């Protein structure tokens, strides 16, 4: 399998690429438009500097070369969602090129090449009365999205399986979110992916005829569509037939790809330099300033978590999988002064309660201070681990501080030596047979006595202290 992916990601700018219209998601249709993005006669585009900054930062995070000189081109095609009948894109001189993304593979880390990252504008959104344009009675068009800045990230055909394609997309999403250039939500359409796939005999260097697959709206759909398309092509080739170079659409309802149109070539778009925009000339000093603003990237941060906090690589991977989780963990660990305790709680209870979207954590359900306060209580032995889990659940629901919940529910562990000694002595007195067994060196009976102490204290006794006291009293 030879797979290459083209990913479009909307950039998180406040205004569009060539006009001042808002990019906010979810506004009523056609309320965020102006003569520029509607392509009315006589208007001129003005480049959004922030979009250039975000595109360059994406390129830097993907280890690309940043072109000191690039330019914009018109990509001409006629479609209702494109009011100018051309899209301003970058053709032969993209902003970034020759980068890579590293993914985890069974044989170790695999480096997936990136051919280019270029800047372009978004088209509008067609809303068909039926499931697709075929068979719909009418279509509405929302131009709010027209002109939102996009980066197109084109990979080398380095991917060898649907699983690798998915791992690549996940890594790309994590990276783009880390650096804050895009919110990368596939469900809201701010991340889209087209896939090119072909087959060839194992060991061959020659590329087979490829098909392009579109219309996949989740990472899982990408993996399924590629698996389907590989099977379809393999059957054709086994029968001695040819694969037709074409664009196919993934049908989620039918779980198969269907032919959309024959593949268009670059010539069909009649690219030519955009006459309304000057070439983009970047000052190298500016690029370096943007590079210096990049946060620590996920791979580097994972390695540091292993080194600095002594965490297992798997735990470090989970914690750095999303920037907000990594930031939260580090802040809690610093306050509590115990990285292992913080990582156990963040990976377990906190992530269990965290809202996710498409497998990625969207928000942390408690504050840094809130969790740190709770973990202090655990560390001091004021609450037991099971009680602390109950407290966290209440904190998530009500947002109230840990100490208050512990007091109100009477969850304090009894760690007072005098109070515990009285209960322990009573239990030993009331249970002479098990006590004698422990004295005779039968360790198992101590569990029974501990159970009795816990019962008499309604489970609030500090178990470590109870065990220590029992051992002290009954040491053979
Ligand atoms: Zn506009």
């Amino acid at each position: 399998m030879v797979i290459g992916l083209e990913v479009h990601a909307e950039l998180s700018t406040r205004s569009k690429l060539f006009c001042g219209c808002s990019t906010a998601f979810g506004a009523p249709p056609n309320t965020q438009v102006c003569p520029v993005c509607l392509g009315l006669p006589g208007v001129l585009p003005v480049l959004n500097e922030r979009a250039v900054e975000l595109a360059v930062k994406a390129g830097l995070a993907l280890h690309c070369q940043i072109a000191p000189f690039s330019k914009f081109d018109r990509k001409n095609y006629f479609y209702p969602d494109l009011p100018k009948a051309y899209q301003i894109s970058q053709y032969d001189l993209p902003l970034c090129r020759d980068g890579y993304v590293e993914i985890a593979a069974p044989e170790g880390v695999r480096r997936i090449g990136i051919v280019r990252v270029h800047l372009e504008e978004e088209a509008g959104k067609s809303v068909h009365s039926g499931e697709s344009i075929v068979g719909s009675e009418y279509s509405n068009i929302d131009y709010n999205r027209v002109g939102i800045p996009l980066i197109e990230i084109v990979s080398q055909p380095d991917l060898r399986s649907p699983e690798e394609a998915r791992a690549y997309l996940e890594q790309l999403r994590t990276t783009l979110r880390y650096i804050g250039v895009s919110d990368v939500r596939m469900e809201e359409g701010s991340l889209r992916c087209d896939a090119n796939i072909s087959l060839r005999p194992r060991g061959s260097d020659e590329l087979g005829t490829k098909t392009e697959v579109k219309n996949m709206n989740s990472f899982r759909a990408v993996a399924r569509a590629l698996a389907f398309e590989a099977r379809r092509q393999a059957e054709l080739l086994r029968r001695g037939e040819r694969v037709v170079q074409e664009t196919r659409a993934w049908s989620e309802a039918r779980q198969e790809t269907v032919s959309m149109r024959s593949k268009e070539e670059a010539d069909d778009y009649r690219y030519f330099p955009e006459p309304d925009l000057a070439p983009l000339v970047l000052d190298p000093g500016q690029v370096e300033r943007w590079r210096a603003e990049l946060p620590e990237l996920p791979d580097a941060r994972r390695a540091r978590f292993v080194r600095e906090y002594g965490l297992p690589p798997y735990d470090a991977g989970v914690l750095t999988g999303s920037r907000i989780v990594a930031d939260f963990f580090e802040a809690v660990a610093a306050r509590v002064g115990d990285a292992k305790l913080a990582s156990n709680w963040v990976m377990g209870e906190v992530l269990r309660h965290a809202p996710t979207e498409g497998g990625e954590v969207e928000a942390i359900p408690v504050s840094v201070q809130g969790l740190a306060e709770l973990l202090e209580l655990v560390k001091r032995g004021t609450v037991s681990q099971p009680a602390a889990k109950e407290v966290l659940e209440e904190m998530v629901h009500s947002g109230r501080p840990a100490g208050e919940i512990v007091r109100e529910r009477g969850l304090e562990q009894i760690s007072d030596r005098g109070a515990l000694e009285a209960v322990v002595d009573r239990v030993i007195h009331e249970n002479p047979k098990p006590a004698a067994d422990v004295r005779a060196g039968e360790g198992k009976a101590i569990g029974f006595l501990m159970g009795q102490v816990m019962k008499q204290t309604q489970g609030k006794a500090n178990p470590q202290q109870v065990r220590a006291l029992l051992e002290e009293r009954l040491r053979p």
Side-chain angles (χ1 to χ4, degrees):
M1 251 184 248
V2 177
I3 298 166
L5 298 181
E6 289 172 17
V7 170
H8 288 90
E10 283 185 359
L11 296 175
S12 308
T13 54
R14 296 223 310 268
S15 58
K16 293 184 180 180
L17 186 52
F18 299 118
C19 64
C21 291
S22 167
T23 58
F25 182 79
N30 298 312
T31 54
Q32 295 174 168
V33 293
C34 74
V36 174
C37 54
L38 287 175
L40 302 190
V43 297
L44 289 170
V46 177
L47 182 60
N48 180 340
E49 185 181 359
R50 176 82 175 147
V52 176
E53 175 189 338
L54 296 183
V56 167
K57 284 181 171 170
L60 290 170
L62 300 172
H63 312 98
C64 289
Q65 307 294 321
I66 308 301
F69 182 97
S70 63
K71 69 175 176 63
F72 291 95
D73 301 278
R74 285 189 183 178
K75 179 180 183 178
N76 298 279
Y77 65 95
F78 183 80
Y79 203 71
D81 64 13
L82 193 68
K84 297 197 295 287
Y86 61 83
Q87 177 193 29
I88 303 179
S89 180
Q90 295 192 295
Y91 181 50
D92 54 338
L93 294 175
L95 188 54
C96 323
R97 58 169 76 215
D98 295 331
Y100 63 86
V101 164
E102 286 183 333
I103 58 170
E107 68 270 28
V109 172
R110 285 244 296 128
R111 193 171 271 199
I112 308 302
I114 288 177
V115 181
R116 58 190 279 158
V117 178
H118 71 249
L119 195 53
E120 63 183 28
E121 58 179 342
E122 180 73 285
K125 190 175 165 136
S126 302
V127 185
H128 307 300
S129 65
E131 198 211 328
S132 70
I133 186 127
V134 183
S136 45
E137 286 178 19
Y138 61 89
S139 297
N140 291 321
I141 301 164
D142 180 2
Y143 287 121
N144 283 352
R145 218 177 63 175
V146 159
I148 288 180
L150 286 179
I151 43 174
E152 180 174 329
I153 303 162
V154 182
S155 85
Q156 295 280 6
D158 287 345
L159 298 157
R160 294 289 171 268
S161 68
E163 294 71 34
E164 283 195 357
R166 188 174 178 156
Y168 167 85
L169 287 172
E170 283 170 356
Q171 186 62 32
L172 203 56
R173 176 175 64 178
T174 303
T175 305
L176 295 179
R177 277 209 178 166
Y178 248 76
I179 56 177
V181 303
S182 173
D183 60 9
V184 211
R185 288 173 210 267
M186 218 160 173
E187 294 73 13
E188 285 181 9
S190 67
L191 181 79
R192 291 193 300 279
C193 172
D194 302 331
N196 288 295
I197 173 169
S198 64
L199 301 183
R200 64 184 177 193
R202 203 176 287 278
S204 162
D205 287 337
E206 218 170 297
L207 290 170
T209 305
K210 67 182 176 186
T211 55
E212 183 178 11
V213 187
K214 287 180 176 290
N215 199 38
M216 300 161 289
N217 55 16
S218 67
F219 289 177
R220 203 171 57 166
V222 172
R224 284 191 179 167
L226 286 169
F228 174 87
E229 190 56 18
R231 275 200 308 279
R232 189 189 70 85
Q233 290 187 12
E235 277 167 29
L236 284 173
L237 295 170
R238 279 201 198 96
R239 287 203 300 265
E241 292 173 32
R242 274 182 342 106
V243 173
V244 179
Q245 181 165 344
E246 61 181 350
T247 301
R248 300 178 66 86
W250 171 246
S251 165
E252 192 62 45
R254 290 158 59 181
Q255 294 285 302
E256 60 182 31
T257 66
V258 290
S259 181
M260 254 172 98
R261 56 175 186 250
S262 65
K263 172 78 185 154
E264 55 291 284
E265 298 293 334
D267 288 353
D268 298 333
Y269 289 120
R270 297 179 295 121
Y271 278 101
F272 64 86
E274 168 58 59
D276 290 339
L277 287 165
L280 181 55
V281 180
L282 283 179
D283 166 23
Q286 178 62 72
V287 173
E288 288 316 308
R289 282 193 292 282
W290 285 336
R291 189 196 299 275
E293 283 171 18
L294 285 178
E296 186 180 26
L297 295 173
D299 289 343
R301 201 167 195 187
R302 184 171 55 227
R304 182 169 63 79
F305 278 18
V306 171
R307 202 172 58 236
E308 201 169 293
Y309 299 116
L311 298 177
Y314 174 81
D315 296 16
V318 172
L319 292 171
T320 54
S322 131
R323 187 176 169 185
I324 56 169
V325 175
D327 288 349
F328 180 78
F329 158 74
E330 287 213 274
V332 172
R335 275 190 185 228
V336 180
D338 185 338
K340 192 65 204 158
L341 182 69
S343 91
N344 285 342
W345 275 80
V346 172
M347 285 176 63
E349 293 305 302
V350 173
L351 289 188
R352 198 162 69 78
H353 291 292
T356 59
E357 188 180 306
E360 178 124 344
V361 176
E362 288 284 289
I364 304 291
V366 280
S367 68
V368 169
Q369 197 191 333
L371 183 64
E373 190 197 335
L374 177 63
L375 296 189
E376 285 296 343
L377 296 176
V378 172
K379 254 176 83 177
R380 285 206 299 267
T382 310
V383 284
S384 66
Q385 293 263 359
K389 288 181 184 176
E390 190 185 321
V391 174
L392 183 77
E393 188 147 350
E394 170 66 26
M395 288 166 71
V396 168
H397 289 127
S398 68
R400 288 164 57 211
E404 197 179 301
I405 299 166
V406 169
R407 274 193 303 281
E408 184 187 282
R409 297 199 178 183
L411 291 169
E412 293 101 335
Q413 284 195 121
I414 303 171
S415 299
D416 175 65
R417 191 177 163 94
L420 285 178
E421 270 174 342
V423 185
V424 165
D425 288 342
R426 190 162 67 232
V427 165
I428 289 172
H429 181 72
E430 287 168 358
N431 299 277
K433 172 78 175 67
D437 288 348
V438 178
R439 280 198 186 94
E442 227 183 280
K444 265 189 298 179
I446 206 165
F448 173 79
L449 294 174
M450 278 189 69
Q452 293 303 306
V453 175
M454 296 312 276
K455 202 168 155 191
Q456 295 206 8
T457 56
Q458 284 94 44
K460 288 183 199 162
N462 180 326
Q464 283 90 2
Q465 268 182 298
V466 172
R467 174 175 282 272
L469 278 173
L470 282 167
E471 282 173 350
E472 210 177 288
R473 294 282 197 277
L474 304 172
R475 197 175 289 135

